[in-house]
Structure formats: structure tokens, C-alpha cells
């Protein structure tokens, strides 16, 4: 492993601490008596009193025999004052002159005992009497600086690195932690809403013999002992409805689902969905409940029902408009597609510029029409209702129109947030719908549903009238925290394999150019040369060095010369 000069120095400091008889990674419990947030919010209660704190040293200002440092714990940041004569018990002042000034670094985790006070400029601080090394940091943190004009320099802002090294992101970017604290507030609000109504939180299988409950491409694995294929669940719907058959009146689950499909700013292959099923209810009741739930979530997370999502101010205050999907298509395309067959729908799609293929049935064609031409218009929460039967194989037939189903999707900021039904509980109808899906599979639709024979058997025992809903938790958190990317609300989003650092020795200029290329992978040669700000001679030498080490290559295309990583 090739170490940087700073990493080498830190390892040398680690050994020097041990040579002094200081264990840089002690095993015993370090008992704290307060948090930084407690002290700052209730300063009058702590003023002049002794406290014990632990956290990460984020900065320091050494000033002779006394210094200031910034301590960060899970609740916030605070200034600490370190005096040589207070923390050192020997004549040489080893704890201050050697340990604190020379062997500790930014990022090290320390414990302190001291007295709370306020400086002459009014800053809450702790006068340290004892200092304990709790964990030596061997890698330097990014040094984020704010100048006199308030401008931030050297911020840890590269998303590729932030998502890969979330632990560093959380240390140096305080606002990131706030996003995940708010995520927990959101899930807690949902749980509280359901639990006060007596609904039961349950768990259902992640490994399933049949990937049911949604139209999606699954991940597949193999169980060695049983010698059988298994799938990571794409939805937990069919298992939850089995529990309704079994006699529970209301069950819900926060489920990790998995879909082996594309990745983008709003989709991750592993995601969180909350699904709820309530017996003796229908989709009209579920719409009313959803409005009430989202009002509470918004208030608990943000203290208001109005939130900013991008540039849009979105209100989660009930009630929400209710628009039938075929009416929405008519409004936004000018075509009334009600009653159209597959060929007629394909013609409409072509007229409005939507590509079609032979695998697309009526349901998928209508889905494409709505998704491409209507969805983005619904910024404020809107229930899109009454989907055609072909789009909804698990949904009860509409009570007034047998061509439709009692289903709604909640659209917010042009995206689907929730999907809900009056659940299909007729086992004969359900089998026919599954068989229709099987025909789509035979046509080449790799997202069509499997036939779940055991689920049909469960329905044959009798399931009461039921309404169910699925809410995308990741997307809900994106909305409530005003984040445009799903990666911002997942601690550890799925990433492409990280490109390994070169095993060859690079000079400083080659390292700079290599790091620039890692961020873009492929770039116009002249653009990269301009960004590097190298002289012509240095540019030629540096680029030749990377190509010689087989780390980069230059390709000539119709669009110009490109440099890309090998």
C-alpha cells in the first residue's frame, strides 16, 4: 500500500504515542456527562460546571502555552481551551507540548474533562483540565476553509467521492447529517401515525421463490442447500395480503426492495418502500388517509405543510385534486384513448412522438403516454385515478366501469410518490389477470408478472375487501429535504466499481492530471489541457507519462481528440 507523506507522518505519530505509554485505541468505556448541543442550548445550567465530552478535533489554533481547538460530537461543534499547565502533570509539559501540539492531528478523536465558561467575545467554551486520546486518525480529513468573505474553499463536494466515502462526507459536511436525521423523523412519523391506529408492523421474506407484487426485472440468486433459484423481492405486496387473509385487519412494512434495472438520479437498485394494507377499506378511503398521513409527515419533518422541491413550492395540505388517468391523457395530448385497442394506441403514441415496439401491450402503451406527456405537469400533490385493467393486474375492477380499476397513483413534483388500490380479492379474476401477464412475458416483456399459485390459493380461502398502498420512502425523503438525487438520501448508494489508484509511481503533475481524468473518465483533449493550466511543455510531458504507464489513452474521433482512462 502506497502511503502519502501525510499518512506516513501520522503513522509515525501513532508510534510515538505508544512510545510515551499512551494507547491510541483504548478499550475501556469513556463516560461522557453531556453533549455539545446540551451545553450550547442550556448554557446557564452548565456555566462554571465540570463536564466530560468526547468527539473529533476539527481544528486548532496553537498560541504558545495555551491553545484553542474545535471539538465535534454527534450533536454539534464547540470551542475548547487547552492550557499547558492544566493538562500536563510533568515539568516538560509532555501532554501539551508533545502530545497535543505535535502528535495529535485534525480528525483525531479525544475525550476531555473541563469547566464550561464563556470567552471575552462571548463564545461558549470548555476549559480543559484532562485530555484523553481515544482514537488516532491515520488519514487526513479534507480541510474545508471559509475566508473572511464567507466563501468556502476546498470543500469535500465531489459527489463521486462523497457517496463512496460517506463517512468523510458526514464528518465534514454538517448538512448531510441533517438530511438523514430528517429521514428518521419521516419514518418515525409514519410509524406513529399507523401505530396510534392499531396497525401492526410486520416483516416478510426478502428471498422469494417468485418475484411478485410488481412489474419489474428481479435479481436472481441460487440456494445451494435447496438447489433452487430464488429472487430478491421486487415488492412485498403478496405476502402482506396473505396476512390479511390470515385475519389481521391492518399490516404495514418498511421493506427493502430490489429491482435489476437502470440507475439514475431518482432510481437505485436497492430502495425502501412502505406498504400498508387495511381490511374493509377501498381506494377512496385510502386517498383520504394518504392526505392526512402526508400532512403529518410534512409537519413533523419541516414544521410546515409547504416545502420547496427544487424551484417549486409544494403544499401537502389536504385535499389533493383527483384526476382519472384517461382524462389526464386527453387534457395533455388532445387524444381520447378510452376504449382504444393496442394498434390504435400505438398509432397515438407515434403521433405524439413516443417510440413503440411489439412487446408493448395496452397497459404499457397507456403508461408511456401518461409518463411522457402528462406526468411532469402535476407539481402539486394530485391523485391520478382509475387506471385501465391492463395496467393493474392486482387491482379490483372499477365498480362503475369494467374496463377500469380502482387504483390511484399520487403524483408530486412530476413524479410518482405512491401507488394504491382497492385490492383484487376475486381468485378467479386474479388467475385470469396473471395469465394475461404470462402472455406478455411470451411476447418478450421481461417486466411482466409471474403467476403466484400460492397467492391465488390464499385468495381462495377468502380475503376481505381491502385497500393497500405503497409509498416510496426514498422519494418522499427527497421531497421533504429538497434533494434532487436519490444518492443524497441513501447512506450508501450503489456505485460503479471504484477505479483503483495506479500501482506505478507518478510525479506530482501526473497525479494531478490522473485525478482530473478520474472525475470525467473521458474529455476533449483541448478542454483537459485548458483545465490543467499546464504549459505546453509540461502538458506534453505529463500526458505522455500517463499514456506510457497505460493509465490514459488518446483517441481520434469525428468530434475531435479525446483523452480517457484505460
Amino acid at each position: 500500500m502506497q502511503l502519502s507523506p501525510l499518512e506516513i507522518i501520522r503513522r509515525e505519530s501513532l508510534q510515538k504515542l505508544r512510545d510515551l505509554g499512551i494507547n491510541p485505541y483504548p478499550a475501556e468505556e469513556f463516560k461522557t456527562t453531556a453533549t455539545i448541543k446540551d451545553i450550547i442550548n442550556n448554557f446557564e445550567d452548565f456555566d462554571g460546571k465540570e463536564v466530560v465530552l468526547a468527539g473529533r478535533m476539527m481544528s486548532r489554533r496553537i498560541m504558545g502555552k495555551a491553545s484553542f481547538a474545535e471539538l465535534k460530537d454527534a450533536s454539534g461543534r464547540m470551542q475548547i481551551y487547552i492550557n499547558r499547565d492544566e493538562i500536563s502533570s510533568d515539568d516538560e509539559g509532555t501532554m501539551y507540548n508533545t502530545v497535543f501540539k505535535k502528535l495529535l492531528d485534525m480528525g483525531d478523536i479525544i475525550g476531555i474533562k473541563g469547566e464550561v465558561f464563556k470567552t471575552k467575545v462571548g463564545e461558549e467554551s470548555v476549559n480543559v483540565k484532562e485530555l484523553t486520546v481515544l482514537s488516532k486518525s491515520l488519514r487526513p480529513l479534507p480541510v474545508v476553509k471559509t475566508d473572511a468573505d464567507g466563501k468556502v474553499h476546498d470543500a469535500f463536494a465531489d459527489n463521486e467521492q462523497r457517496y463512496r466515502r460517506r463517512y468523510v462526507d458526514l464528518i465534514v459536511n454538517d448538512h448531510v447529517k441533517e438530511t438523514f436525521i430528517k429521514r428518521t423523523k419521516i419514518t418515525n412519523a409514519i410509524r406513529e401515525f399507523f401505530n396510534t391506529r392499531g396497525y401492526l408492523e410486520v416483516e416478510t421474506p426478502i428471498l422469494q421463490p417468485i418475484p411478485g407484487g410488481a412489474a419489474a426485472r428481479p435479481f436472481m440468486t441460487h440456494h445451494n442447500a435447496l438447489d433452487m433459484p430464488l429472487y430478491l423481492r421486487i415488492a412485498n405486496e403478496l405476502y402482506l395480503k396473505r396476512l390479511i387473509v390470515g385475519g389481521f385487519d391492518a399490516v404495514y412494512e418498511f421493506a427493502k426492495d430490489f429491482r435489476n434495472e437502470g440507475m439514475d438520479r431518482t432510481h437505485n437498485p436497492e430502495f425502501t418502500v412502505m406498504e400498508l394494507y387495511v381490511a374493509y377499506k377501498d381506494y377512496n378511503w385510502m386517498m383520504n388517509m394518504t392526505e392526512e398521513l402526508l400532512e403529518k409527515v410534512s409537519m413533523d419533518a419541516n414544521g410546515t405543510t409547504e416545502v420547496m422541491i427544487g424551484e417549486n413550492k409544494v403544499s401537502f395540505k389536504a385535499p389533493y385534486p383527483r384526476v382519472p388517468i384517461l382524462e389526464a391523457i386527453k387534457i395533455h395530448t388532445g387524444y381520447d384513448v378510452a376504449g382504444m385497442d393496442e394498434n390504435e394506441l400505438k398509432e397515438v403514441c407515434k403521433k405524439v412522438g413516443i417510440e413503440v415496439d411489439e412487446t408493448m401491450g395496452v397497459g404499457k402503451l397507456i403508461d408511456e403516454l401518461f409518463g411522457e406527456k402528462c406526468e411532469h405537469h402535476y407539481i402539486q400533490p394530485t391523485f391520478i385515478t382509475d387506471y385501465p385493467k391492463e395496467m393493474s393486474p392486482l387491482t379490483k375492477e372499477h365498480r362503475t366501469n369494467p374496463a377500469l380499476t380502482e387504483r390511484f397513483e399520487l403524483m408530486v413534483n412530476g413524479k410518482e410518490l405512491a401507488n394504491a388500490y382497492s385490492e383484487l380479492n376475486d381468485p378467479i379474476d386474479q388467475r385470469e389477470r396473471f395469465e394475461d401477464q404470462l402472455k406478455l412475458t411470451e411476447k418478450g416483456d421481461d417486466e411482466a408478472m409471474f403467476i403466484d399459485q400460492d397467492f391465488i390459493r390464499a385468495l381462495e380461502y377468502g380475503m376481505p375487501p381491502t385497500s393497500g398502498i405503497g409509498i416510496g420512502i426514498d422519494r418522499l425523503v427527497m421531497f421533504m429535504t429538497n434533494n434532487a438525487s436519490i444518492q443524497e438520501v441513501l447512506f450508501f448508494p450503489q456505485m460503479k466499481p471504484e477505479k483503483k489508484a495506479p500501482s506505478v509511481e507518478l510525479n506530482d503533475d501526473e497525479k494531478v492530471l490522473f485525478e482530473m481524468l478520474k472525475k470525467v473518465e473521458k474529455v476533449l483533449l483541448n478542454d483537459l489541457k485548458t483545465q490543467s493550466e499546464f504549459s505546453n511543455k509540461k502538458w506534453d510531458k505529463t500526458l505522455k507519462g500517463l499514456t506510457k504507464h497505460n493509465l490514459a489513452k488518446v483517441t481520434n474521433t469525428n468530434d475531435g481528440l479525446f483523452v480517457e482512462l484505460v
Side-chain angles (χ1 to χ4, degrees):
M1 180 176 65
Q2 184 176 333
L3 300 177
S4 70
L6 286 177
E7 289 173 321
I8 293 171
I9 291 171
R10 288 190 177 222
R11 278 167 168 74
E12 291 172 350
S13 297
L14 175 75
Q15 186 56 50
K16 289 176 182 177
L17 285 170
R18 287 181 167 139
D19 293 343
L20 288 171
I22 296 173
N23 182 356
Y25 307 104
E28 59 268 22
E29 175 188 8
F30 188 85
K31 293 184 178 180
T32 59
T33 61
T35 68
I36 289 172
K37 185 177 180 180
D38 289 338
I39 297 171
I40 292 174
N41 290 350
N42 306 283
F43 179 77
E44 292 181 359
D45 296 335
F46 285 93
D47 190 13
K49 295 182 179 177
E50 184 181 84
V51 295
V52 181
L53 301 174
R56 195 180 293 271
M57 189 171 71
M58 298 301 292
S59 66
R60 64 181 171 182
R61 303 189 304 279
I62 295 176
M63 297 154 26
K65 70 172 188 176
S67 301
F68 287 97
E70 183 184 48
L71 187 72
K72 178 182 179 180
D73 70 5
S75 70
R77 298 173 182 239
M78 188 176 191
Q79 179 175 269
I80 59 175
Y81 172 73
I82 299 102
N83 184 290
R84 181 191 65 191
D85 298 332
E86 293 280 6
I87 68 168
S88 299
S89 58
D90 59 342
D91 293 339
E92 290 78 18
T94 302
M95 199 64 196
Y96 180 80
N97 290 328
T98 303
V99 175
F100 176 75
K101 290 175 66 174
K102 297 178 180 179
L103 303 183
L104 290 186
D105 295 285
M106 265 60 79
D108 287 351
I109 298 172
I110 60 175
I112 63 164
K113 178 189 285 187
E115 188 177 289
V116 176
F117 75 105
K118 192 171 282 189
T119 64
K120 291 179 180 179
V121 296
E123 184 169 355
E124 297 89 348
S125 306
V126 176
N127 183 6
V128 178
K129 309 292 185 181
E130 296 179 18
L131 186 150
T132 305
V133 179
L134 297 177
S135 183
K136 179 67 184 168
S137 169
L138 298 184
R139 287 180 181 265
L141 289 173
V143 180
V144 184
K145 298 177 182 177
T146 304
D147 62 23
D149 297 325
K151 294 181 179 179
V152 177
H153 300 273
D154 300 320
F156 188 59
D158 179 77
N159 287 341
E160 170 88 7
Q161 293 303 315
R162 287 181 53 236
Y163 303 152
R164 288 192 189 282
R165 294 189 282 165
R166 182 68 85 187
Y167 37 88
V168 178
D169 191 27
L170 291 165
I171 293 169
V172 301
N173 293 324
D174 291 340
H175 68 280
V176 174
K177 181 179 284 188
E178 291 304 312
T179 293
F180 290 99
I181 291 172
K182 191 171 285 189
R183 180 180 178 120
T184 296
K185 287 181 179 179
I186 290 167
T187 54
N188 285 347
I190 296 172
R191 282 190 168 96
E192 181 184 348
F193 184 90
F194 292 156
N195 291 344
T196 56
R197 286 157 176 76
Y199 302 167
L200 184 70
E201 183 171 8
V202 298
E203 295 179 350
T204 61
I206 293 174
L207 284 175
Q208 302 181 352
I210 293 175
R217 184 182 300 169
F219 286 93
M220 186 175 180
T221 185
H222 187 83
H223 192 291
N224 291 333
L226 297 176
D227 191 24
M228 63 178 285
L230 288 173
Y231 302 87
L232 294 181
R233 70 177 168 204
I234 57 176
N236 52 341
E237 175 172 346
L238 302 187
Y239 283 93
L240 291 175
K241 288 198 282 195
R242 285 172 168 93
L243 298 181
I244 297 294
V245 171
F248 289 105
D249 279 349
V251 292
Y252 72 94
E253 179 178 18
F254 285 87
K256 281 290 186 184
D257 289 349
F258 307 84
R259 297 184 183 177
N260 196 359
E261 298 169 346
M263 291 169 52
D264 57 34
R265 288 171 62 84
T266 60
H267 294 88
N268 194 65
E270 175 184 351
F271 58 98
T272 305
V273 172
M274 189 292 302
E275 291 204 21
L276 164 75
Y277 294 84
V278 186
Y280 309 109
K281 307 298 183 185
D282 67 2
Y283 79 140
N284 292 312
W285 176 89
M286 188 63 80
M287 281 187 261
N288 295 333
M289 188 283 298
T290 303
E291 292 170 337
E292 189 179 347
L293 171 65
L294 292 180
E295 272 193 6
K296 174 181 171 55
V297 167
S298 186
M299 287 298 299
D300 285 8
N302 296 306
T304 175
T305 56
E306 290 191 346
V307 299
M308 291 300 299
I309 305 177
E311 298 178 354
N312 299 316
K313 181 181 283 188
V314 175
S315 173
F316 285 95
K317 183 73 176 173
Y320 308 157
R322 304 179 183 194
V323 182
I325 187 171
L326 299 183
E327 182 66 23
I329 291 172
K330 184 177 179 180
I331 291 169
H332 297 292
T333 69
Y335 290 95
D336 185 354
V337 299
M340 285 189 178
D341 62 22
E342 189 176 305
N343 292 328
E344 291 170 320
L345 283 168
K346 285 181 178 178
E347 287 302 312
V348 171
C349 286
K350 292 174 183 176
K351 288 177 182 177
V352 298
I354 296 174
E355 292 185 10
V356 299
D357 60 53
E358 292 306 312
T359 70
M360 298 170 72
V362 169
K364 207 155 203 177
L365 292 165
I366 291 175
D367 193 33
E368 286 292 313
L369 277 169
F370 180 78
E372 292 293 324
K373 299 300 177 180
C374 309
E375 194 173 79
H376 60 279
H377 292 288
Y378 296 101
I379 302 301
Q380 299 303 318
T382 304
F383 292 116
I384 303 298
T385 68
D386 302 344
Y387 284 63
K389 189 179 289 186
E390 293 85 354
M391 297 180 69
S392 313
L394 298 168
T395 311
K396 184 169 285 189
E397 184 178 286
H398 198 282
R399 66 196 73 177
T400 62
N401 187 339
L404 304 177
T405 59
E406 296 198 347
R407 173 187 176 187
F408 72 79
E409 288 185 321
L410 177 62
M411 309 304 299
V412 178
N413 202 49
K415 299 289 184 181
E416 175 200 342
L417 176 61
N419 188 18
Y421 316 146
S422 294
E423 300 295 336
L424 179 59
N425 61 343
D426 178 343
I428 296 173
D429 190 358
Q430 181 64 83
R431 182 180 294 277
E432 291 172 353
R433 305 271 195 98
F434 277 148
E435 288 171 351
D436 288 340
Q437 289 285 301
L438 187 61
K439 292 174 184 175
L440 292 176
T441 303
E442 292 167 354
K443 286 177 65 175
D445 186 346
D446 58 5
E447 293 184 350
M449 291 189 188
F450 289 60
I451 296 181
D452 190 332
Q453 300 289 356
D454 180 68
F455 175 65
I456 295 172
R457 180 169 57 189
L459 290 185
E460 289 173 346
Y461 283 96
M463 185 176 84
T466 298
S467 184
I469 189 170
I471 297 176
I473 296 299
D474 304 317
R475 188 163 291 174
L476 177 60
V477 176
M478 289 168 62
F479 290 159
M480 292 295 172
T481 60
N482 197 12
N483 277 300
S485 170
I486 193 172
Q487 286 85 1
E488 294 290 349
V489 302
L490 300 174
F491 272 127
F492 304 106
Q494 191 67 44
M495 304 287 290
K496 292 179 181 178
E498 187 172 10
K499 290 189 178 294
K500 294 182 180 179
S503 57
V504 295
E505 186 69 32
L506 301 181
N507 63 38
D508 290 342
D509 292 335
E510 290 168 344
K511 288 177 183 177
V512 169
L513 202 59
F514 183 74
E515 289 300 318
M516 292 175 67
L517 268 175
K518 277 171 62 178
K519 294 178 181 179
V520 294
E521 296 192 3
K522 184 177 181 179
V523 62
L524 279 167
L525 185 146
N526 286 335
D527 289 348
L528 183 63
K529 181 179 179 181
T530 301
Q531 293 170 26
S532 71
E533 299 182 346
F534 289 167
S535 65
N536 288 334
K537 184 176 181 180
K538 182 184 285 189
W539 165 259
D540 291 339
K541 183 178 179 181
T542 304
L543 185 58
K544 284 179 181 177
L546 289 184
T547 56
K548 179 183 176 182
H549 293 311
N550 199 33
L551 297 173
K553 65 179 180 179
V554 179
T555 54
N556 193 356
T557 73
N558 293 333
D559 297 320
L561 288 172
F562 282 85
V563 184
E564 59 184 306
L565 291 177
V566 175

